[in-house]
Every structure is written in C-alpha cells, then in structure tokens.
Amino acid sequence: MKVFVVGLNHKVADIEVREKLSFDGPKLLEGLLRFKEIPEVKEAIILSTCNRVELYANVSDTEKAAEAVKTFLSEFHNIKRDLLDTALYIYDDVNAVRHIFRVASSLDSMIIGEPQILGQLKDAFEIALEKKTTGIILNKLMKKAISVAKRVRTETRIAENAVSISFAAVELARKIFTDLSRRACMLLGAGEMAELAARHLINNGVKEVMVANRTYERACELADDFNGRPVKFNEFIDEMVHADIVICSTGAPDYILRKNDMQKLMKERKQKQVFLIDISVPRNIDPEINELDNVYLYNIDDLQGVVDANVFERQKEAEKAEKIIGEELETFLKWQSSLDSVPTIIALRERAESIKKEELDKLLHRFPEIVEKDREAIEYMATALMNKLIHPPTIALKESSEDKESLVALVRKLYGIDEE
Amino acid sequence: MGILLFELALTLYFAATIVGIIELFKGTKITSRIILSLAAIGFLIHSISIIYRYVSAGHIPITNAHEATSFFSWCIIFIFFILQIRYRIAILSSFIMPVVFFLMLASTMLPREIKPLTPVLQSFWLGIHTVFAFLGNAAFALACGLGIMYLVQEHYVKSKNIGELFGRLPSLQTLDEMNYKLIKIGFPLLTLAIITGALWAESAWGSYWNWDAREVWALITWLIYAIVIHARLVAGWRGRRAAVLSIVGFLTILIAFFGIKILKKGLHVFL
C-alpha cells in the first residue's frame, strides 16, 4: 500500500487548465466518492483550490492507480485524456509524502509562507473524514502534515515579513509609528494599489482617512468607502499638515509636492514624523524630500526592494523548512513501515494456525482410535513445530529494513497468504 | 564575601552582554527572556554587594573610584528596569549591557580598600547629593543609548536598507518617546544634584558656589539638557535632532568626568 499523489498546480498548468479540473462545491463531494470507488484506491482525499487540484490516495498498485485516476478525471471533468497526460504530476511513496508535507507548509505555494493553504488542507481532510473516505494511513498522514506545517511556521521565520507592496507599506508604517490607530492617513489620487494600501492601513488600525482627487466626486466616493472625508485637490497641501501617512498615486506628469512645500509643512507639524508613499509613475513627490529630517519617502521601487528582501529572507527560511520536513518524513516512513509488517505477521500466523488445524483434523479423521492423551501430545508437537517454523520470518518482518515491501511481498508469496 | 558577590554580579552581567550581542543577530523570545533574567539576578546580587559594603564600611559606598563606577552601573540597570515596566523592549539591553559590563570591569581594576572618610565627606549630604547625581547621569546615559538606537533605526528606514536588525528594533516613535521620558527623568535629578551640591558646599566650604571645574561642567550639562527639553516642547525638535542632542549631552558628561579626573584640579577631586 503506497501513498499516492496526482495533481497539478500553478507551476505546471495555467489557470484555464486548472479551472477545468477544479472540484468546487457539490462537485467535490461527488468527485471524492467516485474517486474512492476506483478499485485500486483504498483511501482518498481531494484538495481543490484556485492554485492547485490534488488527489491524495493510499493505493495498492501505483501504475494501475495512475491509469485509473487519469481515466476518472478525464471522464468526470470531460477533458481529453492526452491533455491530462502532459499537465499532471504523479508522486508515490516517499515523494508523495514529501510533497504533501511541502504543500501543507506552504513551500509549494505561489507565495512561500502564505497561511491559507493549511486551512484549505484541513477543510479537505474534514470533508474526507465526514464521507469516511480515509483510513489509517491518510488519517495519520494528514495529521502529521498539519503538525509539520505548524512546526515550520513556528521554527522558521517563513511566514514573517511582508511580501506584497501594500503589506510592505504597512510594515514600514509600523516601524515609524508605534500605534497606527492614532495616525491619520491621506490618499492622493486613486488606483488599485494605492487603494489596497489604504485599506491595509485601515485594517491595521488607522482611523482617520482623507481623500483628495482631481475629481471631487471621485474623492467623495472613495472617502465614503473608507469612512473618511474628502478634500479638495487644490487644498491638499494645507490638509497634509494633519496627515501622518500619505499615499500618492495621481497621474500627474510632474512633481505635485516639492521640497519647500514639505519644509513648511514639517514646521507646522512641529517635526512630527511623516511617512510618504509615492506609488505613481512618473513620481509625483520630489525625491529630495527624503533628505529632510523626520520625513520618510518611499517610491514604488523602494517598496519592491523591501518585498524582494523579504522574499529572499523567506527563501532562506524555506531551506530550514525543507530540513524540518526531511526529519518528519523519516519519522512518518518508519511508522508506515512498521504498519505494513503487522498485518502480514498476523496473516502468517493465521495461515499457520489454519494449516495446523486442517492437518490435525485430517489425522484424527484418519486414525479415530487415537486416545485423548495421545491427541494432546500430537497437538503439542504440532504447535511447537508451527511456532518454530514461523518464528524466523516473523522476526524478519518485525525488524525494519530497507526492503520492507519486498520482504512482506516475499513472505506473502512463499506462505501463500494472498491465495485465499 | 563582598568581593565574591561583586564578582558574581560581574559574571552575570558579562553573560547578559554576550547573550545581548547574540540577540542583535539572532534574537528570539527565548534570548530576550534569558537576558532579562541574567540582568535581573545580576542586579539583585549587585544590590546585595553594595548593601554589604555599606554595612562593613559604615558609610555610603560611593567615596572612591571603585565604588563610584560600581554604583553608577547599578544606577543604569536600575533605571533600565524602571523603563522596562512601561516599555517592554528587551533589545535595549543589547545596547546597555556592554556599557554596564565595562563599567563593572573598570571597577574591578580600581583599588577597593575601604578607607575612612575625610572630614569633608562626613556629611549627610554625601548620600543625597551623589545619589541624585549618579541617577541623573544614568538616565542621561540611557537616553544616549536610545538616541543611538534611534539613529540606527532611522538610517535603516531612510536608506531603505531593510536588514534583520531593522525588524527587531522598535518603531522610531517608541524610541523617540523613550528618549524623551529618560531626559524628563534625568533633568530634575540633575537639578536636585546641583542644588544639594550647593547646599553641601555651603556647609563644608562656606559658600554655595565656587566656580570649581566640576560645578561649572555640571552647569553646562544642565544647560544642554534644558535646551533639549525646551527645543522639544517649543520648537518641535523631536526625532533625529533630539536623538543627536541626547548623544551630545552625554558626551559632555563623559568629557566632564574624565577631563576633571585627568586634570585633577579643583575642590571636587575626591575620586
């Protein structure tokens, strides 16, 4: 019985293919049950998110299972078989377990360290538990994957530090101002990134928001969205005296805020720190302003630099994470191998017992004149003989070795355990 | 016994210093806790050693160089812990512990015998004046440390050079606030030190002010910090400028202290 993974992610397939193969809503339940019905599949879980679709199973024969799963997917989703052959990856045994641990720890995600994947994995597991499509191996595997993910998150710094521009802006704001809830923010202009940054700041405590835009109506709209107040564009410099954080993203072709404007402003603000974020291209805030005391000006490249530095940090932490995963992988595999031999040992004993019983019955049938006392002696001998014969293979099975699977298979073959 | 306690405190401070340096590069919650524990235990033992010396000497143990440096480093840790009540920032200890350790180390190398007090020093003013002076200077020392941390952090933010240390240092606003608080603690202490010094001078030498080198430098220091506070309140000199001023102020204190020792002039030469 081997752990088995079939699937695709954002690295091997683009959105169109992933869409076709995704299992959302009721499709998930139906798909899961159909997946479990495949004869080679003993345990099943389906994980389907916007960035990946993966099928986890415990299978008896990897090759047959691979074929069967591909057929199932092609029929279920109405996709041509050859399209699947190129798009899917297949992992089995050690590689499958390692892959699942990596996915859970967010090492296979688009952004390493993202927190959603673990929750998505837990949900997929719960659904499988509810529908009773898992067994001892996948149950243990999922629980282990979840604990490995937690270990990675606590023992490495993989999930710290912002890796998107708007998060980076908030992270920087926190390094300048302790308490964002007492800060006021001004949004100059509009635009997806600027609005996202403003929203993040609000989510992190900023309560007062001013919005200035060349079109006053637009300013009012955005101000409404953010629960702030609109400001007339030609008055924005005056109002800036109240703003601790300014996000600038207008389409102006030149600087709208110059050094001497800022100097006057800082005097009025009594030198209270100001964080200026200039996302516009071309830049709207004179870069020389960064030279002023207590003013911190970041443009889009600077923010990207913060993000890149953090991504680099995360890569380093990812290496640590791989080490942790390697350790846990060993532990899991040891557990798994101990499991394999036990049913075989039991089966071996049962086979031996049944042979003993069979022969004893035959003997007594043949020679009914054998007395009770002799019968007991014969039975004693038969048991002793049986135990001596199955002892060495039992011991061999119990000791873990490299080639556990082959040994198990061999014992089963030699003693005819599977021929029942 | 007193020596044993002193050496023990010294060792603990040394350990805390080492962990503090490690914290700068690889800080975790565990290292923070270790530093604070080591510093706290060291402080306790240090306090006991000072009390022990007080009892064996019969007078306040701040009359020779050894005692003075020891007590000064004690004051620094004392104010550090008071600050920790409000601002739990363990990484400050990475900057403070080396200073404390070196002071203690210097203290070990200075002569320790307990000598009887000269007649001038046999006054109840001894304890009051010197304790005010030392506590005030300790506060200014910490303010200087915070000023340095501010400039370091500010450099990171301004130059967009995001390193690991950047993540571990507290926000600029916090550093600035702490710096201000320390100056607000130190300034009244220094004022009281000057006043009690004058009163003591009156009872010992007959006049409140003698234009002695130390007195003059104390006044200059007082003026500098008065300017710092004034500038903060009125002219909005916060952030970078305040940090620089607090470093300058403490440098003045250091120059005064060592300059006078080297020149050995004036009435104030006891140490």
Side-chain angles (χ1 to χ4, degrees):
Chain A
M1 298 298 287
K2 293 213 175 130
V3 178
F4 178 77
V5 171
V6 164
L8 42 64
N9 61 18
H10 61 279
K11 293 184 194 157
V12 303
D14 59 23
I15 185 82
E16 284 145 17
V17 182
R18 297 199 313 265
E19 271 172 357
K20 291 209 186 92
L21 277 163
S22 105
F23 289 87
D24 17 279
K27 264 191 176 183
L28 179 59
L29 291 175
E30 203 200 315
L32 184 61
L33 292 170
R34 293 261 297 271
F35 178 36
K36 178 74 166 54
E37 278 167 21
I38 299 176
E40 286 81 11
V41 172
K42 304 298 170 203
E43 302 179 41
I45 292 179
I46 295 185
L47 173 66
S48 180
T49 74
C50 49
N51 282 334
R52 75 183 62 245
V53 178
E54 293 188 340
L55 283 73
Y56 304 146
N58 189 21
V59 305
S60 52
D61 180 325
T62 316
E63 279 184 34
K64 285 205 195 122
E67 281 306 303
V69 172
K70 282 191 199 165
T71 312
F72 154 66
L73 285 173
S74 132
E75 284 171 8
F76 190 85
H77 290 291
N78 219 349
I79 305 179
K80 288 217 193 84
R81 228 348 246 278
D82 37 4
L83 184 66
L84 282 179
D85 283 330
T86 46
L88 295 173
Y89 46 72
I90 299 180
Y91 298 119
D92 70 336
D93 209 15
V94 181
N95 293 330
V97 179
R98 180 181 286 120
H99 177 82
I100 294 175
F101 283 177
R102 290 185 83 244
V103 167
S105 309
S106 72
L107 287 177
D108 199 50
S109 303
M110 230 198 263
I111 296 181
I112 294 178
E114 59 106 345
Q116 282 93 3
I117 186 66
L118 187 56
Q120 288 161 334
L121 192 70
K122 280 187 193 171
D123 288 341
F125 181 36
E126 276 205 29
I127 293 175
L129 277 175
E130 251 177 76
K131 295 293 160 195
K132 297 203 183 9
T133 58
T134 58
I136 186 171
I137 298 280
L138 282 192
N139 284 346
K140 178 87 171 181
L141 179 57
M142 284 293 120
K143 289 198 186 116
K144 204 71 169 113
I146 292 168
S147 79
V148 172
K150 290 206 179 114
R151 236 194 104 181
V152 164
R153 287 186 89 77
T154 42
E155 291 179 30
T156 71
R157 295 172 56 234
I158 201 176
E160 291 178 21
N161 304 334
V163 286
S164 79
I165 297 216
S166 18
F167 274 118
V170 173
E171 187 186 316
L172 283 164
R174 279 237 191 77
K175 275 302 166 193
I176 300 172
F177 307 106
T178 317
D179 188 7
L180 290 180
S181 68
R182 295 212 241 120
R183 302 291 141 224
C185 157
M186 176 184 278
L187 175 56
L188 269 178
E192 202 187 311
M193 213 179 278
E195 289 167 42
L196 189 59
R199 205 165 285 289
H200 276 311
L201 284 169
I202 294 171
N203 286 344
N204 276 279
V206 171
K207 294 213 173 57
E208 211 191 308
V209 180
M210 300 167 267
V211 182
N213 194 299
R214 281 197 206 278
T215 330
Y216 192 64
E217 289 79 36
R218 183 88 179 104
C220 292
E221 265 174 48
L222 286 171
D224 257 344
D225 266 348
F226 295 135
N227 235 347
R229 62 182 175 91
V231 165
K232 292 217 172 74
F233 196 73
N234 51 4
E235 290 170 11
F236 87 81
I237 293 190
D238 297 322
E239 291 289 333
M240 251 182 84
V241 76
H242 301 299
D244 306 297
I245 305 172
V246 177
I247 305 172
C248 180
S249 171
T250 76
D254 199 7
Y255 300 146
I256 59 176
L257 186 65
R258 294 188 178 274
K259 193 169 178 182
N260 44 6
D261 295 324
M262 203 62 210
Q263 273 167 322
K264 279 193 221 132
L265 217 52
M266 287 312 280
K267 266 217 184 81
E268 276 180 54
R269 277 178 64 84
K270 297 227 172 144
Q271 297 293 322
K272 262 202 331 196
Q273 283 99 346
V274 170
F275 181 30
L276 303 170
I277 306 170
D278 186 2
I279 306 184
S280 345
V281 178
R283 294 175 289 183
N284 290 156
I285 301 181
D286 185 351
E288 286 189 4
I289 287 181
N290 195 35
E291 293 163 20
L292 295 174
D293 271 347
N294 300 324
V295 179
Y296 306 98
L297 170 60
Y298 274 65
N299 62 36
I300 196 165
D301 283 347
D302 301 326
L303 285 174
Q304 187 61 47
V306 174
V307 171
D308 288 342
N310 288 338
V311 168
F312 180 66
E313 285 297 315
R314 282 198 180 193
Q315 301 284 28
K316 290 204 293 188
E317 295 300 306
E319 286 168 23
K320 278 192 214 162
E322 300 278 4
K323 274 214 189 92
I324 293 176
I325 287 177
E327 285 170 27
E328 296 288 340
L329 184 60
E330 287 243 3
T331 318
F332 180 80
L333 291 174
K334 271 210 188 93
W335 173 83
Q336 198 184 7
S337 68
S338 80
L339 202 59
D340 270 342
S341 49
V342 170
T344 308
I345 293 172
I346 295 172
L348 179 63
R349 176 160 283 273
E350 280 174 5
R351 187 94 172 95
E353 292 276 359
S354 83
I355 292 175
K356 175 184 96 176
K357 187 169 183 313
E358 214 180 301
E359 293 305 317
L360 275 174
D361 284 349
K362 268 199 224 162
L363 179 72
L364 296 173
H365 198 76
R366 246 342 210 358
F367 300 94
E369 64 272 11
I370 297 177
V371 294
E372 184 71 42
K373 209 171 101 182
D374 292 342
R375 201 179 295 177
E376 277 174 42
I378 294 172
E379 209 176 321
Y380 178 88
M381 164 70 171
T383 308
L385 191 64
M386 173 195 85
N387 282 339
K388 261 271 164 60
L389 281 170
I390 66 169
H391 184 73
T394 304
I395 296 299
L397 282 172
K398 277 196 182 148
E399 284 168 9
S400 50
S401 68
E402 289 269 81
D403 225 3
K404 174 123 289 182
E405 307 278 332
S406 322
L407 185 61
V408 168
L410 188 65
V411 167
R412 292 181 98 92
K413 187 166 183 191
L414 291 176
Y415 287 86
I417 291 173
D418 285 333
E419 293 155 18
E420 280 164 302
Chain B
M1 176 61 175
I3 297 179
L4 185 65
L5 289 170
F6 185 84
E7 303 288 327
L8 194 55
L10 177 68
T11 319
L12 285 164
Y13 289 154
F14 179 62
T17 307
I18 298 296
V19 181
I21 293 175
I22 296 176
E23 164 115 21
L24 277 179
F25 297 106
K26 272 196 167 292
T28 61
K29 291 199 190 96
I30 307 174
T31 49
S32 311
R33 247 178 261 170
I34 294 179
I35 297 180
L36 289 176
S37 313
L38 285 171
I41 300 175
F43 178 66
L44 217 58
I45 295 182
H46 192 180
S47 315
I48 297 176
S49 85
I50 291 178
I51 295 174
Y52 186 83
R53 196 170 168 100
Y54 187 166
V55 168
S56 7
H59 59 251
I60 289 202
I62 12 182
T63 54
N64 64 20
H66 162 84
E67 293 169 345
T69 19
S70 166
F71 186 62
F72 187 48
S73 63
W74 183 92
C75 285
I76 293 181
I77 299 217
F78 177 58
I79 298 193
F80 169 70
F81 276 120
I82 290 187
L83 206 64
Q84 284 287 97
I85 297 174
R86 172 82 164 82
Y87 295 95
R88 307 193 135 268
I89 295 171
I91 199 165
L92 176 59
S93 57
S94 303
F95 291 81
I96 293 297
M97 287 318 296
V99 174
V100 170
F101 171 64
F102 278 115
L103 281 170
M104 286 292 273
L105 199 60
S107 181
T108 350
M109 302 195 243
L110 294 163
R112 297 186 209 219
E113 333 119 41
I114 300 178
K115 294 202 192 115
L117 289 179
T118 62
V120 183
L121 293 178
Q122 284 171 24
S123 160
F124 73 94
W125 288 116
L126 170 67
I128 301 178
H129 167 73
T130 37
V131 168
F132 278 143
F134 276 42
L135 279 174
N137 285 335
F140 291 139
L142 281 164
C144 174
L146 277 158
I148 294 175
M149 282 169 77
Y150 184 93
L151 292 177
V152 168
Q153 180 71 310
E154 210 225 12
H155 172 78
Y156 280 127
V157 181
K158 271 278 189 180
S159 66
K160 285 107 191 225
N161 195 359
I162 310 300
E164 274 196 36
L165 187 54
F166 162 77
R168 274 201 282 284
L169 286 172
S171 76
L172 291 175
Q173 191 189 344
T174 303
L175 290 169
D176 191 48
E177 268 176 31
M178 286 170 78
N179 177 300
Y180 192 21
K181 274 220 164 54
L182 281 164
I183 293 184
K184 281 197 281 191
I185 292 176
F187 189 70
L189 285 169
L190 180 60
T191 314
L192 283 168
I194 293 178
I195 294 175
T196 51
L199 291 171
W200 187 9
E202 213 279 324
S203 78
W205 301 313
S207 70
Y208 291 101
W209 193 262
N210 292 291
W211 293 106
D212 167 76
R214 172 152 277 144
E215 291 170 346
V216 172
W217 272 107
L219 200 58
I220 293 176
T221 311
W222 187 91
L223 278 168
I224 291 181
Y225 284 106
I227 291 173
V228 171
I229 294 182
H230 175 86
R232 266 189 184 272
L233 286 171
V234 174
W237 271 43
R238 62 177 88 218
R240 181 187 179 78
R241 294 179 195 176
V244 170
L245 271 179
S246 53
I247 297 176
V248 166
F250 189 62
L251 281 173
T252 320
I253 295 177
L254 286 177
I255 293 174
F257 185 73
F258 287 111
I260 292 173
K261 272 189 76 60
I262 293 172
L263 296 177
K264 280 213 185 289
K265 280 210 197 116
L267 298 161
H268 231 132
V269 188
F270 304 109
L271 308 178

